[in-house]
Amino acid sequence: MLGRASLRGRGVLRRSLVIWVKAAVSRALIRVIAMYGDPLWIVVNVGGPMLTSLALAFLYRLAGLSNLTGFAILGGGMVAYWGNVLWSMASQLNWDKRSGMLYLYIASPAPLTALLIGMSLGGILGTLPSSVAVLVIGTLLFKPPFSPPTMTVALVFMLTLLALYGMGIALSSLYLILGRESEEINEALYEPISFLSGIYFPSIGRLSPLPLAVQAVASLIPLTLGMDALRRTLFYAEGLAELWPNIAALAAMAAASILIGLRTLSFIERRGRETGDILVAMK
Amino acid sequence: MIRKLLASIMLGLEREFGWTFPPLVILLSMIPATAGVLTAVMVYWVGASAAGRADPSWLAFLIVGASLYTHFASYIWAPLSAVSEGKASYTFPLVFISHSSLSYIAGRVVASFIESSFTAVLALGASTLAVKAILGVTLGLDITPLSIALFSLGMVVGLLAALGLGLMLAAYAIFVTRLEWGLPVYISGTLMIFSEAIFPSSALPSPLPVIAESLPFTHIIRAARAALIGPLSLYPAEILAAALLGAVWFLAGLAVYAYSERIGRRRGYIDYRVV
């Protein structure tokens, strides 16, 4: 009897896992197809980061150090992801709630956690063309001196995105219980976090103009550590030996934010199913 | 006409401030604006310090320009959003039928101007304090009743130019059914490069400075710098250039909008939307 129950349990687990993976892949594909199937999306997404990074690259050049124009170009490439996390991850379930899609998600056997992980993967792949376009255009115009890309760059980049999208998952579960204010909170968060995390200038470390206390606060944001490590490896050719504290902290932040995000979401989903308030119409 | 305009301004103010406690709206707008200004300041400071030529007088240049830029960039969206949101919610066709579209758009711009004026002035003050706290630099801004009046006059002149640009964006919004926010993003990014918001147009490669000279916003920002930083003697020429160019932009915006609305009515775009 025990053996049969255990087999049945394993079968249920396997089926749940298959559903989870299918739901995640499907949600990721929707993002990828939407982005790659419509070049206008890419054109529209490139505008803000590209023009801001060009303006700031001109400012670096005017300030007297053309070598640092790369900071602005790299920032333009990475800010596309930060925008994607806020507008296409954090707000997504809230928008789905307003458009009625969340009812379907809740009613379907697809777990919300799989949808969010799928959205993250799709967001990363979908934002890639905008990010690359900014980097290519900026590099062609300003020719900043990049060090040759290494495995460390790839590792730091992946960990930064993991931590960033983990933050998106955590925020999306919180935004689910908010109304219109979620958009205002997004607007209010975007620039201050961009500033503190030093997307366009070093906000922590040797070159940072910020006081130590502010640097300490900024270091709690995964994007800060990621941008710092990316700058150090791409412009100062630092490797694993110098960057391991950033890498270890990023890995811990990525794991913690994804875990906290998924736990919070499961809690809100369970409470929502019990009380019905998760689907309550927006104010 | 005046009553329609006032009603639209009230509607716009309700939309901007009515969703929560109004001082919170101002605070939530001021924080990102200040962060944006400070980003430009830090980029300059990091670059100039590394090059060994940090010049504190540039910080006042940056703060005044970047604060005014955030002001324009945040309210030139209002007409586009009035039309596209109005189409999505079926408000705009009703506004059109009642022959109120121009007053509706103008009212929404004025409401957004009021909100972003508070934001810009507070961001200017907050950035000045933050630069003193972070970099230990006191900006030599000339804050007197006269300079404040001249700075405010610049903002009002800017309203005319922004309304002209906004009407052109509203004309675009009549026809576009998705991703309508893409064009304003490009326009505000272009303004950041060409309006002398964070660096003088002379830093641009030739012949691009010509574009900067043709923008009313460039002259408004220069006039604001003349009022708050000096020399004051530059102010009359810049504000006059801003007013003339602003009037040209306003008339062009009116013409483009009237034409687009006519074409939009004939082709059925006024109430056309994608669900």
Side-chain angles (χ1 to χ4, degrees):
Chain A
M1 279 300 277
L2 262 177
R4 197 177 291 171
S6 152
L7 273 178
R8 205 167 40 235
R10 233 182 286 171
V12 170
L13 187 70
R14 191 164 162 269
R15 251 200 323 277
S16 304
L17 192 67
V18 169
I19 289 175
W20 197 95
V21 172
K22 275 186 173 174
V25 171
S26 309
R27 193 63 188 88
L29 276 178
I30 292 170
R31 280 268 150 105
V32 172
I33 291 169
M35 187 63 80
Y36 288 85
D38 185 357
L40 190 61
W41 259 108
I42 298 170
V43 174
V44 161
N45 278 337
V46 166
M50 184 184 71
L51 293 167
T52 306
S53 65
L54 293 186
L56 294 174
F58 272 117
L59 188 55
Y60 268 122
R61 190 188 267 181
L62 180 84
L65 216 57
S66 294
N67 284 354
L68 298 189
T69 52
F71 286 6
I73 307 300
L74 175 67
M78 290 302 288
V79 83
Y81 285 103
W82 171 227
N84 186 260
V85 163
L86 271 186
W87 293 106
S88 299
M89 277 295 298
S91 305
Q92 188 63 47
L93 289 183
N94 193 299
W95 284 335
D96 287 338
K97 181 172 163 177
R98 293 192 213 186
S99 66
M101 283 293 286
L102 192 66
Y103 291 81
L104 302 177
Y105 292 161
I106 299 273
S108 82
L112 278 182
T113 52
L115 294 172
L116 275 174
I117 296 286
M119 246 175 353
S120 307
L121 290 175
I124 289 172
L125 292 172
T127 311
L128 196 63
S130 317
S131 174
V132 169
V134 174
L135 292 173
V136 169
I137 295 169
T139 305
L140 288 175
L141 286 177
F142 286 93
K143 301 180 177 59
F146 284 108
S147 303
T150 57
M151 284 308 288
T152 315
V153 176
L155 179 67
V156 169
F157 180 68
M158 289 312 297
L159 282 174
T160 306
L161 292 188
L162 270 180
L164 204 53
Y165 279 83
M167 234 171 95
I169 292 174
L171 284 175
S172 75
S173 50
L174 290 178
Y175 283 19
L176 198 53
I177 49 179
L178 294 177
R180 181 189 155 182
E181 56 268 38
S182 65
E183 283 176 25
E184 307 296 337
I185 292 172
N186 261 1
E187 292 278 5
L189 276 180
Y190 181 76
E191 280 290 349
I193 298 284
S194 302
F195 169 74
L196 274 180
S197 56
I199 287 184
Y200 294 109
F201 69 94
S203 64
I204 56 169
R206 202 164 38 90
L207 282 176
S208 170
L210 303 179
L212 271 179
V214 181
Q215 291 191 40
V217 173
S219 302
L220 299 175
I221 307 167
L223 192 55
T224 311
L225 299 179
M227 286 305 301
D228 180 56
L230 281 174
R231 258 190 303 265
R232 285 163 58 187
T233 179
L234 277 171
F235 300 109
Y236 299 100
E238 290 185 13
L240 278 176
E242 296 89 2
L243 294 174
W244 70 264
N246 286 50
I247 290 171
L250 273 174
M253 282 178 172
S257 58
I258 291 173
L259 199 71
I260 292 170
L262 293 182
R263 282 276 170 92
T264 315
L265 184 67
S266 297
F267 174 74
I268 290 173
E269 187 187 355
R270 200 174 58 249
R271 282 274 305 159
R273 281 179 194 273
E274 285 164 10
T275 58
D277 59 3
I278 197 170
L279 298 174
V280 169
M282 308 307 302
K283 287 170 261 182
Chain B
M1 177 75 182
I2 298 290
R3 282 175 66 184
K4 283 181 189 173
L5 184 68
L6 286 176
S8 299
I9 294 173
M10 292 310 291
L11 175 78
L13 287 175
E14 178 62 28
R15 187 191 176 280
E16 303 288 343
F17 293 97
W19 63 275
T20 188
F21 183 50
L24 184 64
V25 177
I26 299 287
L27 184 71
L28 283 177
S29 317
M30 186 202 85
I31 292 170
T34 307
V37 173
L38 288 177
T39 297
V41 167
M42 295 306 158
V43 163
Y44 168 76
W45 198 253
V46 166
S49 303
R53 49 188 247 199
D55 177 0
S57 66
W58 269 96
L59 300 184
F61 176 95
L62 271 170
I63 286 180
V64 173
S67 302
L68 267 179
Y69 164 75
T70 55
H71 169 61
F72 295 129
S74 67
Y75 83 92
I76 56 168
W77 285 72
L80 178 127
S81 130
V83 174
S84 60
E85 278 178 24
K87 279 171 77 178
S89 61
Y90 286 119
T91 313
F92 187 68
L94 300 177
V95 168
F96 174 76
I97 289 168
S98 65
H99 298 284
S100 311
S101 50
L102 269 179
S103 353
Y104 174 66
I105 291 169
R108 290 287 298 270
V109 172
V110 173
S112 196
F113 167 81
I114 292 170
E115 189 218 342
S116 75
S117 299
F118 279 118
T119 306
V121 171
L122 289 172
L124 181 69
S127 307
T128 306
L129 293 175
V131 163
K132 188 169 185 196
I134 296 171
L135 304 177
V137 175
T138 306
L139 303 180
L141 294 181
D142 181 25
I143 306 293
T144 61
L146 176 67
S147 68
I148 292 169
L150 294 176
F151 178 77
S152 308
L153 177 65
M155 286 170 102
V156 174
V157 170
L159 177 61
L160 196 66
L163 187 54
L165 179 57
L167 282 168
M168 291 183 215
L169 286 171
Y172 160 78
I174 289 177
F175 300 102
V176 75
T177 48
R178 65 192 188 97
L179 299 177
E180 64 280 355
W181 45 270
L183 186 63
V185 166
Y186 271 89
I187 287 177
S188 54
T190 307
L191 283 183
M192 189 192 254
I193 294 176
F194 289 103
S195 67
E196 289 202 351
I198 57 173
F199 55 85
S201 58
S202 55
L204 292 167
S206 181
L208 297 181
V210 177
I211 299 175
E213 294 302 324
S214 66
L215 297 174
F217 305 104
T218 311
H219 299 283
I220 292 160
I221 290 176
R222 281 183 193 159
R225 285 192 180 116
L228 293 177
I229 306 169
L232 204 55
S233 57
L234 293 178
Y235 187 87
E238 294 298 344
I239 202 74
L240 186 66
L244 289 174
L245 284 168
V248 171
W249 277 49
F250 176 66
L251 293 175
L254 271 181
V256 169
Y257 182 77
Y259 177 74
S260 303
E261 204 179 65
R262 206 164 51 243
I263 299 288
R265 181 178 60 81
R266 280 189 198 152
R267 297 189 185 165
Y269 277 101
I270 299 292
D271 60 351
Y272 181 72
R273 66 172 191 161
V274 174
V275 183

PDB file of all heavy atoms in Angstrom, chain A residues 63-88:
ATOM      1  N   ALA A  63      32.914  66.931 -19.468  1.00  0.00           N
ATOM      2  CA  ALA A  63      33.562  66.997 -18.155  1.00  0.00           C
ATOM      3  C   ALA A  63      35.068  66.774 -18.276  1.00  0.00           C
ATOM      4  O   ALA A  63      35.816  67.091 -17.351  1.00  0.00           O
ATOM      5  CB  ALA A  63      32.952  65.973 -17.215  1.00  0.00           C
ATOM      6  N   GLY A  64      35.491  66.246 -19.378  1.00  0.00           N
ATOM      7  CA  GLY A  64      36.931  66.170 -19.606  1.00  0.00           C
ATOM      8  C   GLY A  64      37.509  64.778 -19.703  1.00  0.00           C
ATOM      9  O   GLY A  64      38.711  64.627 -19.871  1.00  0.00           O
ATOM     10  N   LEU A  65      36.678  63.743 -19.574  1.00  0.00           N
ATOM     11  CA  LEU A  65      37.239  62.400 -19.628  1.00  0.00           C
ATOM     12  C   LEU A  65      36.415  61.533 -20.593  1.00  0.00           C
ATOM     13  O   LEU A  65      35.453  60.895 -20.192  1.00  0.00           O
ATOM     14  CB  LEU A  65      37.264  61.787 -18.228  1.00  0.00           C
ATOM     15  CG  LEU A  65      38.469  60.886 -17.933  1.00  0.00           C
ATOM     16  CD1 LEU A  65      39.780  61.629 -18.140  1.00  0.00           C
ATOM     17  CD2 LEU A  65      38.411  60.335 -16.540  1.00  0.00           C
ATOM     18  N   SER A  66      36.823  61.562 -21.842  1.00  0.00           N
ATOM     19  CA  SER A  66      36.084  60.802 -22.861  1.00  0.00           C
ATOM     20  C   SER A  66      36.075  59.308 -22.567  1.00  0.00           C
ATOM     21  O   SER A  66      35.155  58.597 -22.981  1.00  0.00           O
ATOM     22  CB  SER A  66      36.690  61.037 -24.240  1.00  0.00           C
ATOM     23  OG  SER A  66      36.505  62.369 -24.597  1.00  0.00           O
ATOM     24  N   ASN A  67      37.111  58.827 -21.842  1.00  0.00           N
ATOM     25  CA  ASN A  67      37.187  57.388 -21.530  1.00  0.00           C
ATOM     26  C   ASN A  67      35.954  56.913 -20.769  1.00  0.00           C
ATOM     27  O   ASN A  67      35.568  55.763 -20.859  1.00  0.00           O
ATOM     28  CB  ASN A  67      38.406  57.098 -20.637  1.00  0.00           C
ATOM     29  CG  ASN A  67      39.666  57.129 -21.452  1.00  0.00           C
ATOM     30  OD1 ASN A  67      39.606  57.254 -22.670  1.00  0.00           O
ATOM     31  ND2 ASN A  67      40.802  57.023 -20.794  1.00  0.00           N
ATOM     32  N   LEU A  68      35.369  57.828 -19.966  1.00  0.00           N
ATOM     33  CA  LEU A  68      34.251  57.416 -19.116  1.00  0.00           C
ATOM     34  C   LEU A  68      32.908  57.409 -19.848  1.00  0.00           C
ATOM     35  O   LEU A  68      31.891  57.061 -19.249  1.00  0.00           O
ATOM     36  CB  LEU A  68      34.158  58.324 -17.883  1.00  0.00           C
ATOM     37  CG  LEU A  68      35.357  58.310 -16.934  1.00  0.00           C
ATOM     38  CD1 LEU A  68      35.027  59.082 -15.663  1.00  0.00           C
ATOM     39  CD2 LEU A  68      35.776  56.896 -16.560  1.00  0.00           C
ATOM     40  N   THR A  69      32.900  57.789 -21.122  1.00  0.00           N
ATOM     41  CA  THR A  69      31.627  57.758 -21.858  1.00  0.00           C
ATOM     42  C   THR A  69      31.040  56.342 -21.836  1.00  0.00           C
ATOM     43  O   THR A  69      29.831  56.167 -21.912  1.00  0.00           O
ATOM     44  CB  THR A  69      31.799  58.205 -23.325  1.00  0.00           C
ATOM     45  OG1 THR A  69      32.857  57.446 -23.893  1.00  0.00           O
ATOM     46  CG2 THR A  69      32.105  59.680 -23.438  1.00  0.00           C
ATOM     47  N   GLY A  70      31.926  55.348 -21.699  1.00  0.00           N
ATOM     48  CA  GLY A  70      31.468  53.953 -21.631  1.00  0.00           C
ATOM     49  C   GLY A  70      30.540  53.701 -20.451  1.00  0.00           C
ATOM     50  O   GLY A  70      29.648  52.846 -20.530  1.00  0.00           O
ATOM     51  N   PHE A  71      30.741  54.442 -19.338  1.00  0.00           N
ATOM     52  CA  PHE A  71      29.853  54.293 -18.177  1.00  0.00           C
ATOM     53  C   PHE A  71      28.400  54.601 -18.596  1.00  0.00           C
ATOM     54  O   PHE A  71      27.468  53.908 -18.208  1.00  0.00           O
ATOM     55  CB  PHE A  71      30.229  55.259 -17.051  1.00  0.00           C
ATOM     56  CG  PHE A  71      31.492  54.886 -16.295  1.00  0.00           C
ATOM     57  CD1 PHE A  71      32.287  53.827 -16.697  1.00  0.00           C
ATOM     58  CD2 PHE A  71      31.871  55.615 -15.185  1.00  0.00           C
ATOM     59  CE1 PHE A  71      33.441  53.496 -16.004  1.00  0.00           C
ATOM     60  CE2 PHE A  71      33.027  55.297 -14.471  1.00  0.00           C
ATOM     61  CZ  PHE A  71      33.820  54.232 -14.883  1.00  0.00           C
ATOM     62  N   ALA A  72      28.256  55.693 -19.379  1.00  0.00           N
ATOM     63  CA  ALA A  72      26.903  56.100 -19.799  1.00  0.00           C
ATOM     64  C   ALA A  72      26.324  55.088 -20.784  1.00  0.00           C
ATOM     65  O   ALA A  72      25.127  54.767 -20.715  1.00  0.00           O
ATOM     66  CB  ALA A  72      26.946  57.485 -20.433  1.00  0.00           C
ATOM     67  N   ILE A  73      27.160  54.572 -21.670  1.00  0.00           N
ATOM     68  CA  ILE A  73      26.669  53.617 -22.678  1.00  0.00           C
ATOM     69  C   ILE A  73      26.248  52.307 -21.984  1.00  0.00           C
ATOM     70  O   ILE A  73      25.176  51.762 -22.272  1.00  0.00           O
ATOM     71  CB  ILE A  73      27.768  53.323 -23.738  1.00  0.00           C
ATOM     72  CG1 ILE A  73      28.310  54.624 -24.348  1.00  0.00           C
ATOM     73  CG2 ILE A  73      27.256  52.371 -24.815  1.00  0.00           C
ATOM     74  CD1 ILE A  73      27.313  55.466 -25.047  1.00  0.00           C
ATOM     75  N   LEU A  74      27.104  51.828 -21.081  1.00  0.00           N
ATOM     76  CA  LEU A  74      26.771  50.598 -20.347  1.00  0.00           C
ATOM     77  C   LEU A  74      25.468  50.795 -19.552  1.00  0.00           C
ATOM     78  O   LEU A  74      24.597  49.918 -19.520  1.00  0.00           O
ATOM     79  CB  LEU A  74      27.918  50.228 -19.398  1.00  0.00           C
ATOM     80  CG  LEU A  74      27.672  49.036 -18.481  1.00  0.00           C
ATOM     81  CD1 LEU A  74      27.575  47.741 -19.270  1.00  0.00           C
ATOM     82  CD2 LEU A  74      28.775  48.902 -17.426  1.00  0.00           C
ATOM     83  N   GLY A  75      25.356  51.981 -18.927  1.00  0.00           N
ATOM     84  CA  GLY A  75      24.139  52.296 -18.163  1.00  0.00           C
ATOM     85  C   GLY A  75      22.901  52.230 -19.044  1.00  0.00           C
ATOM     86  O   GLY A  75      21.869  51.684 -18.644  1.00  0.00           O
ATOM     87  N   GLY A  76      23.014  52.779 -20.261  1.00  0.00           N
ATOM     88  CA  GLY A  76      21.882  52.745 -21.201  1.00  0.00           C
ATOM     89  C   GLY A  76      21.492  51.310 -21.535  1.00  0.00           C
ATOM     90  O   GLY A  76      20.305  50.998 -21.680  1.00  0.00           O
ATOM     91  N   GLY A  77      22.500  50.444 -21.654  1.00  0.00           N
ATOM     92  CA  GLY A  77      22.219  49.032 -21.961  1.00  0.00           C
ATOM     93  C   GLY A  77      21.529  48.328 -20.806  1.00  0.00           C
ATOM     94  O   GLY A  77      20.653  47.485 -21.013  1.00  0.00           O
ATOM     95  N   MET A  78      21.911  48.682 -19.592  1.00  0.00           N
ATOM     96  CA  MET A  78      21.354  47.976 -18.421  1.00  0.00           C
ATOM     97  C   MET A  78      20.032  48.579 -17.935  1.00  0.00           C
ATOM     98  O   MET A  78      19.216  47.885 -17.335  1.00  0.00           O
ATOM     99  CB  MET A  78      22.365  47.986 -17.269  1.00  0.00           C
ATOM    100  CG  MET A  78      23.583  47.127 -17.514  1.00  0.00           C
ATOM    101  SD  MET A  78      23.193  45.390 -17.843  1.00  0.00           S
ATOM    102  CE  MET A  78      22.688  44.806 -16.239  1.00  0.00           C
ATOM    103  N   VAL A  79      19.848  49.879 -18.192  1.00  0.00           N
ATOM    104  CA  VAL A  79      18.622  50.522 -17.674  1.00  0.00           C
ATOM    105  C   VAL A  79      17.382  49.955 -18.380  1.00  0.00           C
ATOM    106  O   VAL A  79      16.282  49.966 -17.825  1.00  0.00           O
ATOM    107  CB  VAL A  79      18.716  52.069 -17.826  1.00  0.00           C
ATOM    108  CG1 VAL A  79      18.321  52.544 -19.204  1.00  0.00           C
ATOM    109  CG2 VAL A  79      17.869  52.762 -16.769  1.00  0.00           C
ATOM    110  N   ALA A  80      17.593  49.406 -19.597  1.00  0.00           N
ATOM    111  CA  ALA A  80      16.469  48.787 -20.307  1.00  0.00           C
ATOM    112  C   ALA A  80      15.911  47.630 -19.469  1.00  0.00           C
ATOM    113  O   ALA A  80      14.693  47.420 -19.404  1.00  0.00           O
ATOM    114  CB  ALA A  80      16.933  48.286 -21.668  1.00  0.00           C
ATOM    115  N   TYR A  81      16.796  46.896 -18.815  1.00  0.00           N
ATOM    116  CA  TYR A  81      16.346  45.773 -17.970  1.00  0.00           C
ATOM    117  C   TYR A  81      15.623  46.271 -16.726  1.00  0.00           C
ATOM    118  O   TYR A  81      14.630  45.692 -16.301  1.00  0.00           O
ATOM    119  CB  TYR A  81      17.537  44.892 -17.569  1.00  0.00           C
ATOM    120  CG  TYR A  81      18.018  44.042 -18.699  1.00  0.00           C
ATOM    121  CD1 TYR A  81      19.167  44.365 -19.404  1.00  0.00           C
ATOM    122  CD2 TYR A  81      17.312  42.920 -19.101  1.00  0.00           C
ATOM    123  CE1 TYR A  81      19.603  43.600 -20.471  1.00  0.00           C
ATOM    124  CE2 TYR A  81      17.732  42.142 -20.159  1.00  0.00           C
ATOM    125  CZ  TYR A  81      18.876  42.485 -20.838  1.00  0.00           C
ATOM    126  OH  TYR A  81      19.282  41.723 -21.892  1.00  0.00           O
ATOM    127  N   TRP A  82      16.154  47.328 -16.139  1.00  0.00           N
ATOM    128  CA  TRP A  82      15.518  47.881 -14.940  1.00  0.00           C
ATOM    129  C   TRP A  82      14.103  48.362 -15.280  1.00  0.00           C
ATOM    130  O   TRP A  82      13.149  48.119 -14.544  1.00  0.00           O
ATOM    131  CB  TRP A  82      16.396  48.992 -14.366  1.00  0.00           C
ATOM    132  CG  TRP A  82      15.802  49.813 -13.259  1.00  0.00           C
ATOM    133  CD1 TRP A  82      15.816  51.163 -13.170  1.00  0.00           C
ATOM    134  CD2 TRP A  82      15.117  49.352 -12.069  1.00  0.00           C
ATOM    135  NE1 TRP A  82      15.177  51.566 -12.025  1.00  0.00           N
ATOM    136  CE2 TRP A  82      14.744  50.482 -11.331  1.00  0.00           C
ATOM    137  CE3 TRP A  82      14.780  48.099 -11.582  1.00  0.00           C
ATOM    138  CZ2 TRP A  82      14.056  50.406 -10.123  1.00  0.00           C
ATOM    139  CZ3 TRP A  82      14.075  48.020 -10.373  1.00  0.00           C
ATOM    140  CH2 TRP A  82      13.730  49.159  -9.665  1.00  0.00           C
ATOM    141  N   GLY A  83      13.969  49.030 -16.427  1.00  0.00           N
ATOM    142  CA  GLY A  83      12.646  49.470 -16.879  1.00  0.00           C
ATOM    143  C   GLY A  83      11.734  48.273 -17.103  1.00  0.00           C
ATOM    144  O   GLY A  83      10.568  48.281 -16.724  1.00  0.00           O
ATOM    145  N   ASN A  84      12.290  47.226 -17.703  1.00  0.00           N
ATOM    146  CA  ASN A  84      11.490  46.028 -17.977  1.00  0.00           C
ATOM    147  C   ASN A  84      11.019  45.369 -16.683  1.00  0.00           C
ATOM    148  O   ASN A  84       9.877  44.913 -16.582  1.00  0.00           O
ATOM    149  CB  ASN A  84      12.325  45.056 -18.818  1.00  0.00           C
ATOM    150  CG  ASN A  84      11.512  43.857 -19.263  1.00  0.00           C
ATOM    151  OD1 ASN A  84      11.606  42.791 -18.670  1.00  0.00           O
ATOM    152  ND2 ASN A  84      10.689  44.024 -20.276  1.00  0.00           N
ATOM    153  N   VAL A  85      11.910  45.348 -15.678  1.00  0.00           N
ATOM    154  CA  VAL A  85      11.540  44.742 -14.388  1.00  0.00           C
ATOM    155  C   VAL A  85      10.370  45.502 -13.758  1.00  0.00           C
ATOM    156  O   VAL A  85       9.399  44.907 -13.290  1.00  0.00           O
ATOM    157  CB  VAL A  85      12.758  44.718 -13.439  1.00  0.00           C
ATOM    158  CG1 VAL A  85      12.337  44.490 -12.003  1.00  0.00           C
ATOM    159  CG2 VAL A  85      13.721  43.630 -13.865  1.00  0.00           C
ATOM    160  N   LEU A  86      10.460  46.865 -13.803  1.00  0.00           N
ATOM    161  CA  LEU A  86       9.404  47.648 -13.158  1.00  0.00           C
ATOM    162  C   LEU A  86       8.091  47.595 -13.934  1.00  0.00           C
ATOM    163  O   LEU A  86       7.032  47.364 -13.367  1.00  0.00           O
ATOM    164  CB  LEU A  86       9.835  49.106 -13.031  1.00  0.00           C
ATOM    165  CG  LEU A  86      10.588  49.505 -11.776  1.00  0.00           C
ATOM    166  CD1 LEU A  86      10.792  51.008 -11.752  1.00  0.00           C
ATOM    167  CD2 LEU A  86       9.866  49.085 -10.506  1.00  0.00           C
ATOM    168  N   TRP A  87       8.180  47.830 -15.262  1.00  0.00           N
ATOM    169  CA  TRP A  87       6.955  48.008 -16.032  1.00  0.00           C
ATOM    170  C   TRP A  87       6.378  46.697 -16.559  1.00  0.00           C
ATOM    171  O   TRP A  87       5.178  46.599 -16.772  1.00  0.00           O
ATOM    172  CB  TRP A  87       7.186  48.997 -17.183  1.00  0.00           C
ATOM    173  CG  TRP A  87       7.453  50.354 -16.642  1.00  0.00           C
ATOM    174  CD1 TRP A  87       8.656  50.993 -16.611  1.00  0.00           C
ATOM    175  CD2 TRP A  87       6.528  51.221 -15.979  1.00  0.00           C
ATOM    176  NE1 TRP A  87       8.530  52.212 -15.978  1.00  0.00           N
ATOM    177  CE2 TRP A  87       7.234  52.375 -15.587  1.00  0.00           C
ATOM    178  CE3 TRP A  87       5.175  51.145 -15.681  1.00  0.00           C
ATOM    179  CZ2 TRP A  87       6.643  53.428 -14.920  1.00  0.00           C
ATOM    180  CZ3 TRP A  87       4.580  52.205 -15.013  1.00  0.00           C
ATOM    181  CH2 TRP A  87       5.318  53.321 -14.640  1.00  0.00           C
ATOM    182  N   SER A  88       7.243  45.710 -16.806  1.00  0.00           N
ATOM    183  CA  SER A  88       6.708  44.477 -17.392  1.00  0.00           C
ATOM    184  C   SER A  88       6.737  43.299 -16.436  1.00  0.00           C
ATOM    185  O   SER A  88       6.277  42.220 -16.787  1.00  0.00           O
ATOM    186  CB  SER A  88       7.487  44.121 -18.653  1.00  0.00           C
ATOM    187  OG  SER A  88       7.361  45.149 -19.587  1.00  0.00           O
TER     188      SER A  88
END
